[in-house]
Amino acid sequence: MTGTIFSYTSLLPLLALSSVFATLGNSTPIMKRANVPTSKAGYNRVWYENWGHKDGITHNWVFNLGTSYPGQVAQWGTGEIQTYTNKAENIKIVNKILWITPKKKTDSKGKVTWTSGRLEGTRANKWACADGKKMVVEASIKLGSAGEAQQKGIWPAFWMLGDDFRTRGYKGWPEIGEIDIMESVNGKRQTWGLIHCGMYDGQIPIRGPCNEPDGKGGYVKGIGRGLWHTYGIEIDRTSKNWKNETITWIINGVRHHSITGSQINNASAWNYLAHQKMFILLDVAVGGGFPNGVEGGLTPYSTTIDGDSVGMQVDWVAVWQST
């Protein structure tokens, strides 16, 4: 979700995926929202968000506002067209559920503009997997149920960035590491789980340990929309050799694709991805390189709608460390 505006453009046609491998799965959705789990065998829950704090969103999160980090790459680095706000029409809590809703407005001259919402964890909320341990980061999420034709260009995501990104003044992508736990574009019944790392100089074709700008990872088909799913990643550092450490994507308890240190084959890049502290982000973008690359054209379209049926709901977020 971050980087330069060239990111993801070489994903066209994405489904060929020369740098990303596919996983077909029938992950069972959660038909009703469930309480944030209080236990997980072999783990301690070290942090969770259930949106029940008296100070609301700002208890654990800060709003990303506008069209970029202060003084940094425009359009959030990916060519997105929305402006992020903290208005209730874009981001709010209802019955202990976070709603992020893209909104479209047309002025008297016919110009269309979009707004939406984006959060990142506060400076205190950042985590790393300890040496010899495992860490799981997961969230219960419902994606908008509108048809694909109405969601072209809509891009919800649950992801993480290396905390060094903030200490450097929001600079250093992709070296600081990015783990996309769940991304979905254009209303597809499909989600992506990717990593970004190493260096990227804005050139095509893909290059570096994480094949930038595409990243490395995979996707899962058959993900029902308008239903609750639990999306997560597990970082496993129980091996004594970093090349055997893994990052695995999990949906509703089903393990899908994994990336190993040996596949990255770059100790510095893997260190940022699997060893260093990261913070969590939640957002719904509009337009940009990823939905454009998947669609094979510039999104959103005139037929793309706004509102809750193309937004994202988040029931809870949790971080677990193995005992």
Side-chain angles (χ1 to χ4, degrees):
M1 288 289 301
T2 268
T4 72
I5 61 173
F6 302 101
S7 295
Y8 305 106
T9 54
S10 64
L11 288 175
L12 178 65
L14 184 69
L15 298 185
L17 290 175
S18 61
S19 65
V20 183
F21 54 88
T23 304
L24 300 180
N26 294 312
S27 301
T28 303
I30 302 169
M31 301 302 292
K32 298 179 181 179
R33 59 182 294 210
N35 292 329
V36 57
T38 57
S39 63
K40 185 187 294 288
Y43 288 84
N44 291 323
R45 193 180 71 184
V46 297
W47 181 87
Y48 73 99
E49 172 64 86
N50 65 356
W51 313 108
H53 310 289
K54 65 179 181 180
D55 47 353
I57 291 173
T58 57
H59 184 85
N60 283 318
W61 309 85
V62 294
F63 294 98
N64 290 155
L65 301 174
T67 58
S68 71
Y69 282 113
Q72 300 306 318
V73 182
Q75 297 175 282
W76 298 102
T78 60
E80 305 163 25
I81 68 166
Q82 82 292 324
T83 298
Y84 286 126
T85 84
N86 57 5
K87 296 179 180 178
E89 66 179 9
N90 293 127
I91 190 163
K92 61 182 181 291
I93 297 172
V94 179
N95 296 327
K96 293 187 178 181
I97 294 178
L98 178 75
W99 294 63
I100 303 179
T101 306
K103 298 292 289 185
K104 177 170 60 172
K105 295 181 181 179
T106 305
D107 67 16
S108 60
K109 297 182 179 180
K111 180 181 179 181
V112 176
T113 57
W114 287 83
T115 57
S116 192
R118 169 166 154 163
L119 299 177
E120 67 178 53
T122 64
R123 293 291 178 120
N125 290 317
K126 53 191 177 185
W127 302 273
C129 182
D131 186 18
K133 300 290 186 177
K134 298 179 183 180
M135 181 176 76
V136 171
V137 181
E138 59 185 358
S140 177
I141 293 173
K142 182 193 290 187
L143 299 176
S145 60
E148 286 190 34
Q150 297 175 307
Q151 295 207 59
K152 301 298 186 184
I154 305 297
W155 182 6
F158 164 41
W159 52 302
M160 303 180 76
L161 280 172
D163 194 57
D164 270 10
F165 187 58
R166 298 195 283 205
T167 61
R168 297 184 191 185
Y170 298 102
K171 298 177 181 178
W173 186 93
E175 180 187 7
I176 49 80
E178 174 179 334
I179 302 177
D180 300 323
I181 303 173
M182 185 286 299
E183 293 184 280
S184 182
V185 295
N186 302 341
K188 290 187 173 295
R189 293 169 56 89
Q190 180 171 319
T191 60
W192 282 260
L194 305 170
I195 57 174
H196 296 275
C197 72
M199 300 299 293
Y200 178 59
D201 57 8
Q203 301 298 308
I204 303 295
I206 56 179
R207 62 191 68 202
C210 278
N211 288 346
E212 299 304 346
D214 289 11
K216 282 189 174 181
Y219 63 82
V220 180
K221 289 186 175 182
I223 301 298
R225 303 184 72 91
L227 300 169
W228 291 106
H229 298 271
T230 299
Y231 301 94
I233 53 108
E234 174 198 78
I235 298 175
D236 185 342
R237 296 189 59 200
T238 55
S239 172
K240 294 181 180 180
N241 185 338
W242 68 268
K243 289 189 174 182
N244 296 326
E245 295 175 350
T246 60
I247 299 172
T248 300
W249 283 261
I250 304 169
I251 304 177
N252 300 328
V254 178
R255 302 170 72 85
H256 291 281
H257 56 282
S258 295
I259 293 286
T260 65
S262 63
Q263 287 176 284
I264 301 304
N265 199 32
N266 182 302
S268 176
W270 188 255
N271 176 59
Y272 278 110
L273 287 167
H275 300 181
Q276 298 299 311
K277 289 184 177 180
M278 291 187 141
F279 61 95
I280 297 170
L281 300 98
L282 298 160
D283 68 79
V284 179
V286 181
F290 200 175
N292 293 349
V294 172
E295 180 62 17
L298 189 64
T299 65
Y301 295 159
S302 61
T303 53
T304 303
I305 66 172
D306 67 351
D308 295 336
S309 65
V310 300
M312 178 172 75
Q313 298 175 39
V314 184
D315 193 355
W316 50 262
V317 188
V319 179
W320 306 80
Q321 295 275 8
S322 65
T323 54

